[in-house]
C-alpha cells in the first residue's frame, strides 16, 4: 500500500469499512457521490476489492437501503406499540415516518426515490423486511370502525378517512397479492 493512500483500522473488516465510507459519503454528499472508486480510495483498497464483498454497486446501495429500513422499521414498530386510540397511533406512526425522512433525507432518497428501473431487482428477502413499516400502518388501519369514529369533530373524521383509505387499500392489495401502488396520505 502506498503511503499517500488512506488506511483503515486493521481491526475493522473491509466490508464494514466499505459500508462505513459509503454511509459517510451518502450522508455528507448524497447519493450522487457514491462511487466505488471514491469509496475504495478512502478505505485504502482497490475498487475491485469492493466487488469481493458486494457483487455490484447496486448490492452496496441495497445494503445501505436495508440499514435505512431497519432504522425506519424500528422507529415505526416502537411507536405503533404505544397506548392510545388507533387514530392517535396512526398519527404517531405517520409522524415517525415523516421524522425519519426529515432527519435522514439521504437514506430516504435511496429507499424511496431511486429509479428502480435503472438498478438490479431488490432482493425478495430484503423487500419482505422492508414491508414491516407498511404492515404497521395496515395493522392500525385494520380497525376501521375505531378509525371512523370521530374523536374531536369534523376534522377528525376527514383526517381519519384520508388516512385509513390508503392503508386499507394496501391491506386489500396485499391480501390479493397484487402490486402495491403508493398512495399519498394527508395527515393534519
Amino acid at each position: 500500500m502506498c503511503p499517500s493512500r488512506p488506511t483503515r483500522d486493521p481491526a475493522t473488516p473491509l466490508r464494514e469499512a466499505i459500508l462505513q465510507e459509503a454511509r459517510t459519503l451518502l450522508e455528507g454528499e448524497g447519493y450522487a457521490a457514491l462511487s466505488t472508486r471514491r469509496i475504495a480510495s478512502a478505505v485504502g483498497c482497490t475498487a475491485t476489492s469492493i466487488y469481493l464483498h458486494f457483487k455490484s454497486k447496486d448490492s452496496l446501495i441495497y445494503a445501505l437501503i436495508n440499514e435505512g429500513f431497519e432504522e425506519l422499521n424500528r422507529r415505526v414498530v416502537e411507536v405503533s406499540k404505544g397506548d392510545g386510540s388507533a387514530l392517535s397511533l396512526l398519527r404517531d406512526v405517520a409522524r415517525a415516518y415523516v421524522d425519519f425522512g426529515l432527519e435522514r433525507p439521504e437514506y430516504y432518497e435511496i429507499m424511496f426515490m431511486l429509479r428502480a428501473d435503472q438498478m438490479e431487482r431488490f432482493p425478495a428477502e430484503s423487500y419482505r423486511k422492508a414491508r414491516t413499516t407498511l404492515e404497521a400502518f395496515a395493522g392500525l388501519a385494520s380497525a376501521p370502525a375505531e378509525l371512523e369514529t370521530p374523536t374531536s369533530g369534523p376534522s377528525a373524521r376527514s383526517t381519519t378517512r384520508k388516512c385509513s383509505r390508503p392503508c386499507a387499500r394496501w391491506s386489500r392489495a396485499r391480501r390479493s397479492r397484487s402490486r402495491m401502488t403508493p398512495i399519498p396520505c394527508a395527515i393534519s
Side-chain angles (χ1 to χ4, degrees):
M1 196 177 292
C2 55
S4 64
R5 182 174 260 186
T7 58
R8 64 182 163 81
D9 180 357
T12 304
L14 183 57
R15 179 180 166 80
E16 186 52 42
I18 292 166
L19 278 170
Q20 181 55 45
E21 184 56 31
R23 269 184 230 111
T24 301
L25 283 173
L26 177 66
E27 292 173 349
E29 300 179 41
Y31 171 73
L34 288 177
S35 123
T36 54
R37 288 178 194 248
R38 241 178 120 178
I39 293 168
S41 176
V43 170
C45 69
T46 64
T48 54
S49 296
I50 291 175
Y51 296 106
L52 296 173
H53 300 278
F54 301 94
K55 73 176 189 174
S56 65
K57 181 180 174 188
D58 289 349
S59 295
L60 174 59
I61 292 168
Y62 288 151
L64 295 173
I65 289 172
N66 285 335
E67 287 180 358
F69 273 116
E70 285 175 14
E71 181 181 342
L72 176 61
N73 291 343
R74 181 189 48 74
R75 289 182 184 199
V76 166
V77 168
E78 183 179 303
V79 169
S80 71
K81 291 180 180 178
D83 294 327
S85 70
L87 180 60
S88 68
L89 287 174
L90 186 59
R91 282 187 180 141
D92 293 345
V93 166
R95 174 52 47 200
Y97 179 89
V98 170
D99 287 347
F100 173 83
L102 293 173
E103 293 167 13
R104 307 294 300 269
E106 299 83 9
Y107 272 93
Y108 188 90
E109 176 187 10
I110 64 169
M111 291 164 63
F112 299 108
M113 298 169 64
L114 285 184
R115 301 259 331 252
D117 60 334
Q118 296 175 353
M119 298 178 73
E120 295 173 4
R121 183 172 173 83
F122 194 61
E125 182 58 32
S126 296
Y127 175 76
R128 282 189 282 281
K129 289 178 185 175
R131 279 194 333 207
T132 304
T133 301
L134 293 174
E135 289 168 353
F137 277 104
L140 291 170
S142 67
E146 185 179 343
L147 288 177
E148 291 298 332
T149 303
T151 58
S152 61
S155 65
R157 282 190 299 272
S158 171
T159 300
T160 300
R161 282 191 297 274
K162 289 177 186 173
C163 293
S164 63
R165 285 182 188 145
C167 295
R169 285 182 195 143
W170 180 82
S171 188
R172 282 192 304 274
R174 187 170 149 246
R175 283 192 301 270
S176 68
R177 299 282 189 233
S178 65
R179 189 177 179 113
M180 189 185 90
T181 305
I183 303 169
C185 181
I187 303 241
S188 59

